[in-house]
Amino acid sequence: MSTPGFSLFLGLLQLVGFLLPLRTSAIRKDIGFLEERICRTTVQGRYLISDDEGNVCNALSLDSRTRCCPLKGERFSCHGCNILSQCCSSYEFCVSCCLNPTRTILEKVVKIKVAKPATAGTYRTVFDFCAGRCRHSSESVVHENAYHSKFHHCFSLTSNASGANLTQVETRLLGIDVIVGRQGDSCDAVCKSRGQLCVMNKLSLLNQCDVMQRYMTCKGSCLASAGADQPAEVADDAPRDLYPGACLYSRTQSMLSCDGSHQYTRRLCPCA
């Protein structure tokens, strides 16, 4: 037999149980915190930094939490850059300019090898490409240890196609003398006769039909070939099977050489 006090106690327990269910309901899954984005940045310079959004800022103004530049100023800035040659006087602005999706396309970048060996990997992102290309481009140096102009951070992709833009090529040949050599001479010999040296990393710019046709006769023919003496024009007195008068370009960039020569060709040489 229950007492009035005990009945009152049971009633209170039931009321508490009604107001506070024994099971705690789960937190709604559609409510959460926005994940803050962390930027990747260049580490080359002491004063300027470019982030992977294409912004350039002073190193001291970098957000310590997100590692991003403040959202002010011009995004994808090409300050101090030559748009034709795609070369810049500043590493950070080179990266910023390169990141513009209208200039650098991800689908093309991911197919490019990071280094020359066949075992080398490819770039994963446009930022990886721009940060690496602007730092290590060989297009801006002469004799492998000196810059031919103040625009020595380049992000352009060297093209071996015969339809290359001549204006862009000529801009990238600033400071270089393009010389048609004598029959049978190597580019080393051609440049040495002028008191200069052959600039090896400029041979790929000359190894294009429209460029050769600018400096040589070519007589209507420009043919793909293979040889250390290319780019070159075949002499008129060459045997018929060597296509006299035709210009030859190499499909294999690794074969380009300053010391290559052939008794029946005249080489097109970059001297400085």
Side-chain angles (χ1 to χ4, degrees):
M1 180 173 172
S2 61
T3 64
F6 183 71
S7 297
L8 179 61
F9 177 71
L10 289 176
L12 288 172
L13 283 177
Q14 290 176 351
L15 180 61
V16 172
F18 175 76
L19 295 175
L20 297 175
L22 293 178
R23 291 188 178 184
T24 303
S25 57
I27 298 175
R28 286 177 58 186
K29 293 183 178 180
D30 59 341
I31 298 179
F33 296 101
L34 291 175
E35 198 171 305
E36 198 166 39
R37 188 183 184 284
I38 304 298
C39 289
R40 298 178 62 195
T41 61
T42 58
V43 294
Q44 173 105 345
R46 177 182 298 179
Y47 304 108
L48 293 178
I49 283 179
S50 176
D51 65 22
D52 57 4
E53 291 289 337
N55 300 299
V56 177
C57 62
N58 186 290
L60 295 177
S61 65
L62 196 70
D63 190 303
S64 60
R65 188 177 67 259
T66 64
R67 304 298 297 168
C68 297
C69 286
L71 297 179
K72 61 180 181 179
E74 180 186 357
R75 190 182 181 195
F76 306 131
S77 175
C78 295
H79 175 72
C81 297
N82 184 317
I83 303 301
L84 286 176
S85 65
Q86 295 184 324
C87 292
C88 309
S89 58
S90 162
Y91 171 71
E92 289 75 23
F93 282 105
C94 176
V95 174
S96 174
C97 191
C98 172
L99 285 171
N100 191 324
T102 64
R103 294 189 181 90
T104 308
I105 301 172
L106 177 62
E107 288 73 16
K108 291 184 177 181
V109 165
V110 295
K111 297 177 182 178
I112 301 170
K113 288 191 176 295
V114 177
K116 290 183 178 180
T119 55
T122 55
Y123 295 101
R124 294 183 299 108
T125 67
V126 173
F127 180 75
D128 290 331
F129 166 79
C130 293
R133 181 70 176 172
C134 285
R135 181 182 298 117
H136 297 301
S137 173
S138 62
E139 295 299 327
S140 59
V141 296
V142 180
H143 311 323
E144 300 183 357
N145 61 3
Y147 295 116
H148 69 71
S149 80
K150 67 177 182 178
F151 301 101
H152 52 253
H153 297 286
C154 305
F155 61 88
S156 58
L157 298 176
T158 301
S159 171
N160 297 318
S162 59
N165 183 286
L166 278 175
T167 302
Q168 180 175 337
V169 170
E170 288 180 349
T171 301
R172 293 165 66 186
L173 286 171
L174 287 174
I176 302 295
D177 293 329
V178 180
I179 308 298
V180 178
R182 294 181 303 181
Q183 182 175 333
D185 279 355
S186 69
C187 279
D188 279 338
V190 171
C191 295
K192 185 177 180 180
S193 68
R194 298 171 54 88
Q196 297 176 307
L197 295 175
C198 173
V199 186
M200 174 68 183
N201 57 28
K202 299 300 178 183
L203 281 171
S204 60
L205 294 177
L206 305 182
N207 187 46
Q208 305 173 65
C209 287
D210 53 353
V211 177
M212 283 188 283
Q213 289 165 350
R214 185 73 174 264
Y215 295 95
M216 297 169 150
T217 305
C218 298
K219 295 188 177 178
S221 297
C222 187
L223 308 173
S225 184
D229 63 311
Q230 292 150 21
E233 182 179 45
V234 182
D236 291 336
D237 62 350
R240 291 187 62 184
D241 61 332
L242 295 182
Y243 304 99
C247 284
L248 305 177
Y249 70 93
S250 176
R251 285 179 174 171
T252 308
Q253 294 288 332
S254 60
M255 292 190 70
L256 297 178
S257 167
C258 282
D259 60 3
S261 64
H262 191 283
Q263 62 175 325
Y264 288 117
T265 63
R266 288 186 294 271
R267 297 203 59 184
L268 188 62
C269 305
C271 304

